[in-house]
Amino acid sequence: MKRSGPLFTLLAGLLLALFMLSLNVTSGARSTSTGSESSGDVVQASPTPTASPPSGKPSPSPSPSPSKTAVPNADYAGRTDDDSSAIAVTLRDGKAVAYFCDGKDQESWLKGDVKADGSMRLTGQNGNVLTGDLKGKQIRGTVDMGQRKYGFTADKAVKPSGLYRATATVRGAEVDGGWIVLPSGQQVGILNRAGKPSPAPRIDPETGAVTVDGQKLTAKPVTP
């Protein structure tokens, strides 16, 4: 009987150890299963939404607008189609001044803008209107003088050809003279003394010098 005591104690210890081992194995299996389910919940993430393409066709980028260049500065002079009068036009920075003159008693000063395409509409006193188009080295157009229209062609002029004017007071009278110097050297102009027109005396095209009633004046190039 004394020898069976230790045996029972040893068997009881073995049984307890086996029982504890089985508990640990079972608990570990459950823990692993639970961890797998938990980790599965974390891994499964909502898919990132894909941006849908914009509806309709993409709007095309605007094409660059063509740059507009002002007509070059220049002087033009010529005659009317019926050869009765002369016309001169001066262009500066998109502006124009013109002078129509028959060299006797009919004249008109006209001003206005010049478009980028070379077209122009210039106006003067008494409703006079010049319409023209610059093409290359030539202006072609008409001058409406009220009672009559004149077609004209004015070619590009090289100094001293061009348009000149002189204003002064001579012997108590207001004097206003306009001159057109044509490429041929011919001059057409009118001199107004106190509002009374008459053919203008000839100017020196190189200096613009002119003598009016014994007084020396200087006719200067006209610009807008």
Side-chain angles (χ1 to χ4, degrees):
M1 293 296 292
K2 290 181 181 180
R3 292 179 180 178
S4 62
L7 291 175
F8 282 113
T9 302
L10 179 60
L11 289 174
L14 290 174
L15 290 175
L16 179 60
L18 290 173
F19 177 74
M20 294 299 294
L21 180 61
S22 64
L23 285 179
N24 288 338
V25 172
T26 305
S27 174
R30 289 179 182 177
S31 175
T32 303
S33 175
T34 304
S36 298
E37 292 176 0
S38 240
S39 64
D41 291 341
V42 173
V43 170
Q44 293 179 357
S46 302
T48 303
T50 304
S52 59
S55 60
K57 297 181 179 179
S59 54
S61 57
S63 57
S65 57
S67 58
K68 294 184 178 181
T69 305
V71 295
N73 297 339
D75 302 318
Y76 299 84
R79 299 193 65 89
T80 55
D81 294 345
D82 62 2
D83 203 34
S84 67
S85 306
I87 186 78
V89 184
T90 300
L91 307 182
R92 295 290 186 275
D93 302 324
K95 302 287 185 180
V97 59
Y99 182 54
F100 170 89
C101 173
D102 66 358
K104 300 174 183 176
D105 57 7
Q106 190 177 31
E107 65 175 352
S108 180
W109 291 94
L110 309 104
K111 295 181 179 181
D113 297 328
V114 183
K115 296 182 179 179
D117 62 359
S119 62
M120 63 193 77
R121 185 180 187 275
L122 315 181
T123 58
Q125 293 182 348
N126 304 319
N128 301 332
V129 178
L130 179 152
T131 56
D133 289 285
L134 173 61
K135 301 295 183 181
K137 298 182 179 181
Q138 188 179 80
I139 297 176
R140 176 68 186 168
T142 61
V143 178
D144 186 351
M145 293 295 291
Q147 296 180 352
R148 184 178 174 183
K149 288 184 178 181
Y150 298 83
F152 73 88
T153 300
D155 296 319
K156 190 173 182 179
V158 179
K159 296 295 183 185
S161 299
L163 179 58
Y164 298 83
R165 190 173 191 176
T167 58
T169 301
V170 178
R171 296 183 179 181
E174 295 294 328
V175 173
D176 185 4
W179 290 265
I180 297 172
V181 179
L182 297 169
S184 63
Q186 180 185 7
Q187 297 184 16
V188 182
I190 288 179
L191 183 69
N192 283 278
R193 294 180 178 86
K196 295 181 179 180
S198 62
R202 185 178 179 85
I203 66 171
D204 181 346
E206 296 296 335
T207 63
V210 60
T211 300
V212 177
D213 297 338
Q215 183 172 328
K216 292 183 178 182
L217 305 177
T218 302
K220 298 180 179 180
V222 179
T223 57

